[in-house]
Amino acid sequence: MVKHVILWTLKDELSDEEKKKVKAEIKEGLEGLKGVVPGIVEIQVITEGLASSNADLMLDSSFETEEDLKNYAVHPAHVAVADGKVRPFTKLRSCLDFNV
């Protein structure tokens, strides 16, 4: 199994209310990919970190194989969420992919 973990920091110019809305839309969009994109074992977006956090939200996902992760990256449903709900509102993205 392969883990795919992403941390995002939202753009500074977003108000607290806008950030709350963006987080909810990212969560809904990405978690909605399970059953749509083949190979996803688990997918969860954490939107409420502790005060000690220095990122705004996290994607924690698992895939059957590394090939499934590669296919997820280019799957039209994922690209639509990334381009429409994630990239326009984030200023920083960190990713760690690893075998479990």
Side-chain angles (χ1 to χ4, degrees):
M1 186 165 18
V2 173
K3 291 290 284 181
H4 174 63
V5 179
I6 306 245
L7 294 171
W8 289 285
T9 302
L10 298 176
K11 292 182 176 178
D12 295 330
E13 59 266 23
L14 296 172
S15 69
D16 288 344
E17 191 59 37
E18 289 169 322
K19 286 182 179 183
K20 184 176 178 180
K21 181 178 186 246
V22 166
K23 287 179 183 183
E25 290 178 355
I26 290 172
K27 180 176 180 69
E28 178 184 14
L30 290 174
E31 289 181 356
L33 296 174
K34 187 167 185 185
V36 174
V37 178
I40 296 175
V41 175
E42 295 177 59
I43 190 161
Q44 180 181 19
V45 176
I46 307 300
T47 60
E48 299 303 323
L50 298 176
S52 57
S53 301
N54 65 358
D56 292 305
L57 64 163
M58 179 184 84
L59 169 67
D60 181 9
S61 55
S62 303
F63 295 82
E64 301 267 348
T65 66
E66 188 173 354
E67 189 66 25
D68 289 331
L69 174 58
K70 289 177 184 176
N71 291 333
Y72 162 82
V74 297
H75 191 282
H78 170 255
V79 171
V81 172
D83 287 347
K85 297 178 185 280
V86 180
R87 291 185 183 115
F89 305 103
T90 56
K91 70 173 183 177
L92 183 62
R93 175 189 181 272
S94 296
C95 174
L96 180 65
D97 298 327
F98 57 96
N99 289 308
V100 178

